[in-house]
Amino acid sequence: MTYAIVARGKGGSNVLEQVEIDNPTPVTGEVLVRHTAIGVNFIDTYFRTGLYPWPVEKDLVLGSEAAGIIEAVGEGVSGFSVGDRVAYTIPNGAYVSHRAIKAKHLVKLPDGISDEIAAASMLKGLTAHYLLHRSFQVQSGQRVLFHAAAGGVGLIAGQWLVAKGVTAIGTAGGPEKCALASTHGYSQMIDYKSENFVERIREITEGQGVDAVYDSIGKDTYPGSLHCLKNFGSLVSFGQSSGPALDFKLSDLAAGSYSVTRPILFHFTAESGYLQSAADALFTMISSGDIKININQKFSLSDAAKAHDQLESRQTTGSTILLP
């Protein structure tokens, strides 16, 4: 059976519904992929709730990363064949058992990278890549603060940061999450449930502040994140799990001649050559053991709503995947 999980309208997880669909036929430039694993990310909930505008007028299929096996190849496709193991990350459309997708969005999976690892790391791993290499290009010897360090992106970023010689300080909610992040590159962890992260950063850095703050939380952390920066420091805002920072003013940056950026992964992957080079770098780090991918939650694709509930209630750590 070919099926999809669709959002019937904007709202809570209850808007998600399983429906049977026709098996897709790839057109020119496309291949048909049978999904074997699908990643779950906060961006999925942003679209579901309407925080991000819907790209369609009616039902929306969520999901921005997946891995699978090519079952058919359309006209004009080169470099891919039936039976190839592939993965991708593009906005929406992944919560399906089978998908016709443009070949330009795909990367082949090396033998040492499983389908589940690829589905759990494409969006999060490439996000970590552009954060550390393009949004604020970290240098050995610097210190940074990374919010939500026990999340999927945070755990990957912590390991990549330490491999680059950067001192990574993280925040997370609760001792268990802090302990998990501490084993993934973070030299010090701050439990935001019991500690004031701005005060702790001042203590840890002896009042100097950090070179950059990577913030995917938004409304709850934005003002404090700026107060953690040293002069000329950079705030990289790449998410808003607590809601958007609506009170942002350009004059806020004058306190320390700060810089701020709001990057989007899919702007980078649209650049010629970036997708393959970034994926190569990620897979090399995973294959070498420098980055370990933690898949701590697995759900059936039909249970996507349960996965969303756990993600939004902060019950997850690491990566979450759906299995068709």
Side-chain angles (χ1 to χ4, degrees):
M1 179 180 72
T2 304
Y3 66 101
I5 304 298
V6 301
R8 292 299 196 184
K10 300 170 186 176
S13 63
N14 60 312
V15 304
L16 299 177
E17 180 180 331
Q18 180 174 324
V19 298
E20 290 191 34
I21 59 173
D22 294 332
N23 201 42
T25 299
V27 299
T28 300
E30 291 184 340
V31 302
L32 174 64
V33 177
R34 174 176 60 82
H35 285 160
T36 53
I38 300 160
V40 179
N41 298 277
F42 258 108
I43 192 174
D44 304 345
T45 70
Y46 297 163
F47 279 110
R48 191 204 73 224
T49 59
L51 185 62
Y52 283 3
W54 278 32
V56 295
E57 292 184 2
K58 297 182 179 180
D59 298 342
L60 176 64
V61 177
L62 302 170
S64 296
E65 64 180 345
I69 299 169
I70 294 179
E71 292 195 333
V73 177
E75 294 291 330
V77 173
S78 61
F80 293 98
S81 304
V82 171
D84 284 347
R85 296 169 54 247
V86 294
Y88 67 85
T89 177
I90 59 173
N92 296 308
Y95 287 10
V96 293
S97 59
H98 299 72
R99 182 178 193 178
I101 186 171
K102 291 186 181 297
K104 68 179 182 179
H105 298 310
L106 301 175
V107 294
K108 288 184 181 180
L109 295 181
D111 291 339
I113 305 295
S114 72
D115 292 12
E116 291 189 2
I117 290 295
S121 65
M122 277 293 288
L123 187 147
K124 291 172 279 290
L126 297 190
T127 295
H129 183 276
Y130 84 71
L131 289 174
L132 308 187
H133 298 86
R134 295 285 296 272
S135 300
F136 176 81
Q137 189 171 354
V138 292
Q139 304 293 327
S140 178
Q142 291 181 322
R143 283 188 293 202
V144 304
L145 172 64
F146 206 104
H147 288 300
V153 176
L155 293 180
I156 295 173
Q159 298 171 83
W160 219 326
L161 285 164
V162 74
K164 295 175 75 65
V166 177
T167 298
I169 305 165
T171 69
E176 291 184 359
K177 288 189 176 183
C178 286
L180 174 64
S182 293
T183 65
H184 289 74
Y186 292 93
S187 61
Q188 298 195 60
M189 285 299 302
I190 302 168
D191 184 349
Y192 65 76
K193 287 187 175 181
S194 60
E195 300 176 287
N196 182 303
F197 71 86
V198 176
E199 294 178 358
R200 288 289 292 122
I201 286 295
R202 288 174 181 159
E203 294 173 4
I204 293 169
T205 66
E206 297 180 338
Q208 295 181 23
V210 294
D211 294 281
V213 177
Y214 294 97
D215 191 340
S216 63
I217 297 178
K219 180 179 69 174
D220 291 349
T221 50
Y222 151 69
S225 292
L226 282 182
H227 293 150
C228 291
L229 293 171
K230 63 171 56 174
N231 283 352
F232 310 109
S234 294
L235 170 62
V236 182
S237 171
F238 67 102
Q240 48 197 43
S241 60
S242 68
L246 298 176
D247 57 347
F248 170 74
K249 301 182 296 296
L250 281 175
S251 58
D252 295 340
L253 306 180
S257 296
Y258 305 134
S259 298
V260 63
T261 184
R262 181 61 170 88
I264 300 294
L265 169 63
F266 305 116
H267 294 159
F268 292 97
T269 56
E271 289 185 2
S272 176
Y274 178 84
L275 175 62
Q276 190 64 60
S277 64
D280 288 345
L282 173 64
F283 294 152
T284 296
M285 293 292 286
I286 294 173
S287 296
S288 69
D290 288 327
I291 289 179
K292 295 178 175 61
I293 304 299
N294 298 84
I295 303 175
N296 294 337
Q297 298 80 213
K298 297 181 183 182
F299 296 87
S300 167
L301 176 56
S302 60
D303 288 330
K306 293 182 180 178
H308 277 219
D309 289 340
Q310 287 201 14
L311 184 67
E312 290 179 291
S313 61
R314 313 284 187 183
Q315 297 179 47
T316 64
T317 57
S319 296
T320 300
I321 61 171
L322 305 173
L323 302 175

mmCIF file of all heavy atoms in Angstrom, residues 40 48 58 75 78 80 84-85 126-127 141 200 202 219 256 271 291 300:
data_model
loop_
_atom_site.group_PDB
_atom_site.id
_atom_site.type_symbol
_atom_site.label_atom_id
_atom_site.label_comp_id
_atom_site.label_asym_id
_atom_site.label_seq_id
_atom_site.Cartn_x
_atom_site.Cartn_y
_atom_site.Cartn_z
ATOM 1 N N VAL A 40 12.040 13.311 11.756
ATOM 2 C CA VAL A 40 11.059 14.216 12.358
ATOM 3 C C VAL A 40 11.810 15.391 12.954
ATOM 4 O O VAL A 40 12.795 15.205 13.683
ATOM 5 C CB VAL A 40 10.237 13.510 13.456
ATOM 6 C CG1 VAL A 40 9.241 14.482 14.100
ATOM 7 C CG2 VAL A 40 9.496 12.311 12.874
ATOM 8 N N ARG A 48 2.968 22.589 10.443
ATOM 9 C CA ARG A 48 1.665 22.029 10.841
ATOM 10 C C ARG A 48 0.809 23.052 11.567
ATOM 11 O O ARG A 48 -0.399 23.158 11.335
ATOM 12 C CB ARG A 48 1.890 20.805 11.735
ATOM 13 C CG ARG A 48 0.651 19.965 12.007
ATOM 14 C CD ARG A 48 0.800 19.180 13.291
ATOM 15 N NE ARG A 48 0.703 20.031 14.462
ATOM 16 C CZ ARG A 48 1.511 19.962 15.520
ATOM 17 N NH1 ARG A 48 2.491 19.083 15.566
ATOM 18 N NH2 ARG A 48 1.347 20.791 16.531
ATOM 19 N N LYS A 58 -4.432 23.358 0.237
ATOM 20 C CA LYS A 58 -5.224 22.329 0.905
ATOM 21 C C LYS A 58 -4.332 21.480 1.803
ATOM 22 O O LYS A 58 -3.533 21.996 2.555
ATOM 23 C CB LYS A 58 -5.950 21.487 -0.148
ATOM 24 C CG LYS A 58 -6.945 22.303 -0.980
ATOM 25 C CD LYS A 58 -7.680 21.411 -1.972
ATOM 26 C CE LYS A 58 -8.690 22.217 -2.770
ATOM 27 N NZ LYS A 58 -9.425 21.383 -3.756
ATOM 28 N N GLU A 75 12.903 9.976 -17.205
ATOM 29 C CA GLU A 75 13.728 10.425 -18.326
ATOM 30 C C GLU A 75 14.657 11.551 -17.897
ATOM 31 O O GLU A 75 14.317 12.370 -17.053
ATOM 32 C CB GLU A 75 12.833 10.920 -19.465
ATOM 33 C CG GLU A 75 11.983 9.845 -20.115
ATOM 34 C CD GLU A 75 12.812 8.851 -20.897
ATOM 35 O OE1 GLU A 75 13.870 9.247 -21.414
ATOM 36 O OE2 GLU A 75 12.398 7.680 -21.000
ATOM 37 N N SER A 78 20.563 11.185 -14.781
ATOM 38 C CA SER A 78 21.858 10.518 -14.868
ATOM 39 C C SER A 78 22.488 10.456 -13.483
ATOM 40 O O SER A 78 22.209 11.293 -12.629
ATOM 41 C CB SER A 78 22.792 11.259 -15.834
ATOM 42 O OG SER A 78 23.043 12.574 -15.391
ATOM 43 N N PHE A 80 21.999 8.156 -11.219
ATOM 44 C CA PHE A 80 21.221 7.358 -10.279
ATOM 45 C C PHE A 80 20.587 6.180 -11.016
ATOM 46 O O PHE A 80 20.169 6.308 -12.175
ATOM 47 C CB PHE A 80 20.119 8.195 -9.615
ATOM 48 C CG PHE A 80 20.632 9.274 -8.703
ATOM 49 C CD1 PHE A 80 20.749 10.581 -9.156
ATOM 50 C CD2 PHE A 80 20.999 8.985 -7.400
ATOM 51 C CE1 PHE A 80 21.219 11.584 -8.327
ATOM 52 C CE2 PHE A 80 21.476 9.970 -6.558
ATOM 53 C CZ PHE A 80 21.591 11.277 -7.016
ATOM 54 N N ASP A 84 19.682 2.078 -5.992
ATOM 55 C CA ASP A 84 20.580 2.967 -5.242
ATOM 56 C C ASP A 84 19.925 3.379 -3.919
ATOM 57 O O ASP A 84 18.730 3.659 -3.853
ATOM 58 C CB ASP A 84 20.882 4.236 -6.040
ATOM 59 C CG ASP A 84 21.879 4.015 -7.156
ATOM 60 O OD1 ASP A 84 22.524 2.958 -7.170
ATOM 61 O OD2 ASP A 84 22.005 4.913 -8.027
ATOM 62 N N ARG A 85 20.736 3.425 -2.880
ATOM 63 C CA ARG A 85 20.300 3.955 -1.586
ATOM 64 C C ARG A 85 20.581 5.453 -1.585
ATOM 65 O O ARG A 85 21.707 5.887 -1.863
ATOM 66 C CB ARG A 85 21.028 3.276 -0.429
ATOM 67 C CG ARG A 85 20.729 1.797 -0.311
ATOM 68 C CD ARG A 85 21.670 1.120 0.687
ATOM 69 N NE ARG A 85 21.656 1.789 1.967
ATOM 70 C CZ ARG A 85 22.692 2.452 2.487
ATOM 71 N NH1 ARG A 85 23.834 2.545 1.833
ATOM 72 N NH2 ARG A 85 22.597 3.022 3.666
ATOM 73 N N LEU A 126 23.215 18.677 8.160
ATOM 74 C CA LEU A 126 23.516 19.775 7.246
ATOM 75 C C LEU A 126 23.223 21.125 7.895
ATOM 76 O O LEU A 126 23.870 22.125 7.573
ATOM 77 C CB LEU A 126 22.740 19.619 5.947
ATOM 78 C CG LEU A 126 23.062 18.378 5.112
ATOM 79 C CD1 LEU A 126 22.396 18.465 3.743
ATOM 80 C CD2 LEU A 126 24.559 18.168 4.962
ATOM 81 N N THR A 127 22.247 21.130 8.819
ATOM 82 C CA THR A 127 22.031 22.358 9.590
ATOM 83 C C THR A 127 23.262 22.676 10.427
ATOM 84 O O THR A 127 23.744 23.818 10.450
ATOM 85 C CB THR A 127 20.797 22.209 10.499
ATOM 86 O OG1 THR A 127 19.623 22.062 9.692
ATOM 87 C CG2 THR A 127 20.637 23.427 11.396
ATOM 88 N N GLY A 141 39.822 27.598 19.312
ATOM 89 C CA GLY A 141 40.120 28.492 20.426
ATOM 90 C C GLY A 141 38.961 29.387 20.824
ATOM 91 O O GLY A 141 39.012 30.020 21.885
ATOM 92 N N ARG A 200 25.226 32.247 34.351
ATOM 93 C CA ARG A 200 26.211 31.165 34.291
ATOM 94 C C ARG A 200 27.269 31.435 33.224
ATOM 95 O O ARG A 200 28.455 31.144 33.423
ATOM 96 C CB ARG A 200 25.509 29.840 34.009
ATOM 97 C CG ARG A 200 24.721 29.305 35.176
ATOM 98 C CD ARG A 200 25.648 28.799 36.298
ATOM 99 N NE ARG A 200 26.364 27.597 35.861
ATOM 100 C CZ ARG A 200 27.687 27.492 35.815
ATOM 101 N NH1 ARG A 200 28.458 28.516 36.181
ATOM 102 N NH2 ARG A 200 28.253 26.365 35.424
ATOM 103 N N ARG A 202 28.327 34.340 32.310
ATOM 104 C CA ARG A 202 29.230 35.346 32.879
ATOM 105 C C ARG A 202 30.235 34.703 33.825
ATOM 106 O O ARG A 202 31.415 35.052 33.837
ATOM 107 C CB ARG A 202 28.416 36.415 33.606
ATOM 108 C CG ARG A 202 27.645 37.354 32.665
ATOM 109 C CD ARG A 202 26.751 38.287 33.434
ATOM 110 N NE ARG A 202 25.988 39.175 32.552
ATOM 111 C CZ ARG A 202 24.873 39.793 32.900
ATOM 112 N NH1 ARG A 202 24.384 39.628 34.132
ATOM 113 N NH2 ARG A 202 24.242 40.571 32.036
ATOM 114 N N LYS A 219 11.847 33.022 21.275
ATOM 115 C CA LYS A 219 11.240 33.993 22.186
ATOM 116 C C LYS A 219 11.788 33.886 23.610
ATOM 117 O O LYS A 219 12.114 34.913 24.224
ATOM 118 C CB LYS A 219 9.726 33.796 22.215
ATOM 119 C CG LYS A 219 8.985 34.760 23.132
ATOM 120 C CD LYS A 219 7.482 34.521 23.107
ATOM 121 C CE LYS A 219 7.118 33.201 23.757
ATOM 122 N NZ LYS A 219 5.650 33.014 23.860
ATOM 123 N N GLY A 256 26.749 45.856 22.058
ATOM 124 C CA GLY A 256 28.100 45.316 21.924
ATOM 125 C C GLY A 256 28.562 45.223 20.489
ATOM 126 O O GLY A 256 29.412 44.403 20.157
ATOM 127 N N GLU A 271 22.324 26.239 -3.450
ATOM 128 C CA GLU A 271 23.560 26.634 -4.115
ATOM 129 C C GLU A 271 24.168 25.436 -4.842
ATOM 130 O O GLU A 271 24.194 24.325 -4.322
ATOM 131 C CB GLU A 271 24.586 27.148 -3.094
ATOM 132 C CG GLU A 271 24.265 28.486 -2.487
ATOM 133 C CD GLU A 271 25.383 28.968 -1.581
ATOM 134 O OE1 GLU A 271 26.410 28.268 -1.468
ATOM 135 O OE2 GLU A 271 25.229 30.038 -0.991
ATOM 136 N N ILE A 291 31.540 12.008 14.775
ATOM 137 C CA ILE A 291 30.154 12.346 15.070
ATOM 138 C C ILE A 291 29.343 11.067 15.152
ATOM 139 O O ILE A 291 29.370 10.241 14.229
ATOM 140 C CB ILE A 291 29.545 13.271 13.994
ATOM 141 C CG1 ILE A 291 30.149 14.670 14.090
ATOM 142 C CG2 ILE A 291 28.024 13.347 14.130
ATOM 143 C CD1 ILE A 291 29.631 15.646 13.048
ATOM 144 N N SER A 300 6.284 4.271 14.122
ATOM 145 C CA SER A 300 5.710 3.939 12.823
ATOM 146 C C SER A 300 5.273 5.232 12.150
ATOM 147 O O SER A 300 4.866 6.188 12.821
ATOM 148 C CB SER A 300 4.519 3.007 13.011
ATOM 149 O OG SER A 300 3.759 2.912 11.816
#
